[in-house]
Amino acid sequence: MPVVKVLTEGIGELNLRDIDVYRSRGGYEQWKRAVTSLQPAEIVDLTLKSGLRGRGGAGFPTGRKWQFLPDNGHPRYMVCNCDEAEPGTFKDHMLLEETPHQILEGMLIGSYAIGSKHAFIYIRGEFKRGYAIFVEALAQARAAGLVGDNILGTGTSIEVTVHRGAGAYICGEETALLNSVEGRRGEPRLKPPFPAVKGLYGEPTVVNNVETLATLPYILKNGAEWFASVGPQRSPGYKVVSVSGHVRKPGNYEIPLGTPIRELLEIAGGPREGRKIVAVQPGGGSSACLFEEHLDLGYDFDTMAANGTMLGSGAVVFFDDSTDFVRAAHALVRFYAHESCGQCTPCREGGHWLEITLERILEGGGLDSDIDMLLSVSHQMTGLNLCPLGDSIEPFLASVVKRFESQFRAYVRKPAVSVAV
Amino acid sequence: LVEAARQRDFASVILEVKPEAERLIAQYPHSRSALLPILHAFQNVEGWVSPEAMATTAEWLDLPLSVVESTASFYSLFFRRPVGKYVLQPCRNLSCLINGAGEIMDYFREKLGIGHLETSADGLFSYEEVECLAACDRAPCMQVNLEFVYDLSKEKIDAMLTAMRGGTSEVAPLPQSAAPAKSWHVGQDTTKKSPGAQGVSDPNDPGGMGDPSGVRMIERLNRDPAPLDARPSRERLIRDGAARLAAQEPEHGK
């Protein structure tokens, strides 16, 4: 089975939070090499050739994102997005708590590549322990002369600031994140201008996911070819996948992209005794469900997109035949209604009305027409908002309403029951 | 007298937070970026973000108080009312829910005698059902004062609550600079964001919007589906009946 250990190597066995342990395994060697003997352009080139695509959700090629920065002499900022809150995703949580130095090394390499002198990491407010761990790791690296002024005597200076969020899913959206770093409400900005042109403090900025940056030291170490040769050509490399739901061994598994979903299910221990998987949500709460007939699809960005869903943040939730999809849909709709920042009317109002519609269906007071209303409201919310949050309800809701319509109909026709909501 | 004591106490809070705030401000190219970190620092000392803390933050960062308040109110981890010594936050999102979070939440409500966003009468526990905590592999999970507790069971909850009541819990209690009221929810209700949605108390009565036009709109939609039918889309597909859907997706449903 193709479980690999690249980013996850040593996790659970070694205390990689200690800089000495991390360095004894080759840690910070690539940062040293980059800052002493590589030109920033060489790192950008290497990243482009590796085909690395962003691991946070959108899957945008990292090297190309870096190239959008205008050459206008303004200060540039590198921001690492560790505001992991997509339902079902828990890879960054693990990387942060287990291997903070790997993230820091990636941030330093990325900052150097784009010519940034100040990097930020935005850590989700709930990760109190992870925040403390990263702050300690940063202090260790600073003491070792790897961060700050005149790094290793090369004349290169990169400052790193750790910024803690305070409980808002929307701050994972890059422009909302930048507003939050600036001390504002975490409301997404109108785009364009994109952060590459006007980002943090109005200056050119790159926002990269934790896993994306943590991959950089390995691309430097093993070469672009090594990464590009794994998995499908346009969607290459290794990916940490968070598997949860109705499986026997949920957890983070690092796999080559393109691994069939069925194999992923086996890696995670398979379905529970006497149960059968009927659906899988392959890319976090914002992705549409796939079903039994899709289990042989390869798990990569393009195959997922071609099948009407997405790889997203790499969160795979399996559902077996015991699942009540009406309650599942309600949980996700309630999430998006709760997390809407309220700027755009379709998202703010649509999410709320979908939530109370699902509540009355669950309580047995639903109307037959409610099922149509779920589809029509969620569809009409889509594409009308500043950010993708308002578009995130429809994929899951519509896919399960269509597939498991009989479950929704059964609720509508059932006498009223009390449901804890 | 109470007010005077509070002012005296707050002077010591300021003494404690000020050096930290100065360090935080120095980390950023623009001082406003220190807004969230300073509010965190106040909450670490006081257990909540008090009006005095927001006013002081506004003064330090040279911002209008309204800016600090509106920013603080955006973030759910800033408690703008005093809370209990232990803030219990079980996850209610998908992966936990399909692994028994519903029973866990019911059990908490039963054991604590309080509901979502409420504090127990003894001021010990505050309870909130929260969204995905990024620990889905150990579902159902929760946080206690932001420390993770994994693989929840009723036995685990019993042991946890007993330890907290007996003062033997591993998790440190939050400081409590003021006595909490039953509800710690302030002002804007995130479940009822717009005036149009205010007052919807009964989920089976979608027309209760405080405005008869809403009732009429729902009635019209239910009576006359024409506006929806005019669009040849998935709505139509469903309305035309399950048979048509079944023909297109032979294996649908259970």
Side-chain angles (χ1 to χ4, degrees), chain B:
Chain B
L1 200 71
V2 175
E3 198 56 28
R6 170 83 186 131
Q7 273 175 16
R8 223 175 24 248
D9 286 352
F10 195 71
S12 69
V13 172
I14 288 187
L15 277 182
E16 199 173 337
V17 176
K18 183 105 201 242
E20 171 76 354
E22 280 164 2
R23 190 186 65 78
L24 291 166
I25 291 170
Q27 286 189 340
Y28 297 97
H30 296 266
S31 63
R32 183 172 171 166
S33 284
L35 205 164
L36 267 63
I38 292 176
L39 294 179
H40 274 305
F42 272 114
Q43 186 159 301
N44 287 343
V45 174
E46 287 207 276
W48 62 302
V49 177
S50 61
E52 293 93 333
M54 287 193 273
T56 310
T57 307
E59 196 185 303
W60 287 347
L61 297 179
D62 197 18
L63 291 170
L65 177 59
S66 59
V67 166
V68 175
E69 284 181 345
S70 85
T71 307
S73 70
F74 186 85
Y75 297 95
S76 62
L77 287 184
F78 291 134
F79 307 137
R80 287 170 300 133
R81 289 277 185 276
V83 291
K85 290 184 177 164
Y86 292 99
V87 177
L88 309 174
Q89 296 175 311
C91 170
R92 66 181 186 186
N93 211 298
L94 193 52
S95 291
C96 283
L97 194 81
I98 64 174
N99 279 302
E103 291 73 44
I104 293 295
M105 292 188 285
D106 288 346
Y107 194 66
F108 265 122
R109 286 165 180 252
E110 183 197 319
K111 283 278 147 183
L112 298 171
I114 50 175
H116 183 51
L117 293 171
E118 285 183 350
T119 301
S120 60
D122 57 5
L124 196 58
F125 301 114
S126 286
Y127 180 73
E128 181 184 14
E129 289 159 5
V130 297
E131 300 300 351
C132 188
L133 291 169
C136 318
D137 52 339
R138 310 277 306 267
C141 70
M142 73 177 295
Q143 288 196 314
V144 181
N145 295 352
L146 301 186
E147 304 285 349
F148 278 96
V149 183
Y150 301 112
D151 307 315
L152 283 174
S153 63
K154 288 180 179 174
E155 296 72 42
K156 219 166 182 169
I157 292 171
D158 285 338
M160 184 169 80
L161 296 182
T162 307
M164 285 166 185
R165 289 198 171 106
T168 57
S169 171
E170 285 172 17
V171 179
L174 296 179
Q176 218 170 29
S177 72
K182 186 171 187 199
S183 170
W184 48 290
H185 210 175
V186 195
Q188 172 215 18
D189 181 343
T190 53
T191 62
K192 295 173 184 136
K193 283 192 170 125
S194 72
Q198 291 292 347
V200 182
S201 52
D202 178 1
N204 292 327
D205 176 13
M209 298 190 295
D211 181 340
S213 66
V215 182
R216 284 201 298 275
M217 185 186 78
I218 297 289
E219 276 170 0
R220 190 174 58 80
L221 277 174
N222 286 338
R223 193 179 56 237
D224 174 22
L228 296 184
D229 264 351
R231 282 182 290 276
S233 60
R234 68 194 76 204
E235 293 93 21
R236 175 144 212 168
L237 200 68
I238 301 283
R239 180 163 294 113
D240 285 354
R244 193 155 146 188
L245 195 69
Q248 206 173 58
E249 290 179 51
E251 291 180 18
H252 95 100
K254 293 193 305 172

Side-chain angles (χ1 to χ4, degrees), chain A residues 22-37 105 109 146 152 217 220-221:
Chain A
Y22 181 65
R23 294 189 89 164
S24 72
R25 304 176 58 81
Y28 288 116
E29 285 305 313
Q30 297 310 314
W31 169 227
K32 264 168 121 174
R33 195 180 90 166
V35 75
T36 54
S37 61
E105 185 173 5
I109 293 171
L146 297 162
L152 304 171
L220 253 61
K221 182 178 171 194

Side-chain angles (χ1 to χ4, degrees), chain A residues 41-278:
Chain A
E42 290 177 78
I43 301 174
V44 176
D45 196 46
L46 208 61
T47 309
L48 270 175
K49 283 195 182 127
S50 74
L52 174 65
R53 292 172 67 167
R55 274 19 182 170
F60 197 82
T62 305
R64 272 187 44 216
K65 199 175 197 178
W66 292 354
Q67 285 184 319
F68 288 142
L69 292 170
D71 200 5
N72 56 8
H74 282 236
R76 294 170 166 190
Y77 295 106
M78 161 62 74
V79 181
C80 175
N81 184 346
C82 186
D83 190 49
E84 177 177 63
E86 182 70 27
T89 318
F90 44 94
K91 65 188 176 68
D92 298 344
H93 180 197
M94 176 192 71
L95 293 173
L96 177 69
E97 289 193 357
E98 298 293 334
T99 71
H101 287 290
Q102 190 169 268
I103 301 171
L104 183 56
E105 185 173 5
M107 280 173 71
L108 291 165
I109 293 171
S111 301
Y112 179 71
I114 64 163
S116 162
K117 302 209 175 317
H118 200 156
F120 292 81
I121 177 167
Y122 188 96
I123 297 180
R124 182 179 175 184
E126 281 84 349
F127 295 167
K128 188 172 128 188
R129 178 165 178 261
Y131 173 80
I133 288 171
F134 196 87
V135 167
E136 170 60 23
L138 178 59
Q140 290 175 356
R142 201 185 292 279
L146 297 162
V147 179
D149 286 335
N150 192 13
I151 293 165
L152 304 171
T154 55
T156 300
S157 300
I158 297 175
E159 191 43 59
V160 175
T161 298
V162 191
H163 190 89
R164 188 172 156 218
Y169 164 74
I170 189 60
C171 289
E173 196 278 340
E174 58 181 6
T175 57
L177 185 149
L178 297 177
N179 273 343
S180 189
V181 175
E182 290 182 9
R184 297 169 201 279
R185 294 164 66 86
E187 289 167 342
R189 300 174 182 171
L190 182 65
K191 285 161 281 187
F194 289 93
V197 179
K198 272 187 189 301
L200 191 59
Y201 310 119
E203 305 293 359
T205 303
V206 166
V207 183
N208 282 145
N209 173 259
V210 163
E211 190 189 347
T212 311
L213 291 172
T215 306
L216 295 177
Y218 300 95
I219 292 178
L220 253 61
K221 182 178 171 194
N222 301 322
E225 278 305 305
W226 161 80
F227 198 78
S229 64
V230 176
Q233 196 196 345
R234 294 174 56 82
S235 183
Y238 301 108
K239 172 92 187 76
V240 183
V241 178
S242 305
V243 186
S244 67
H246 292 143
V247 291
R248 283 190 237 195
K249 290 193 300 175
N252 282 309
Y253 297 98
E254 195 168 12
I255 54 160
L257 286 177
T259 303
I261 296 174
R262 195 182 296 283
E263 219 164 302
L264 200 54
L265 175 61
E266 280 163 28
I267 292 168
R272 302 182 296 179
E273 191 65 42
R275 293 287 177 188
K276 158 169 112 79
I277 297 300
V278 295

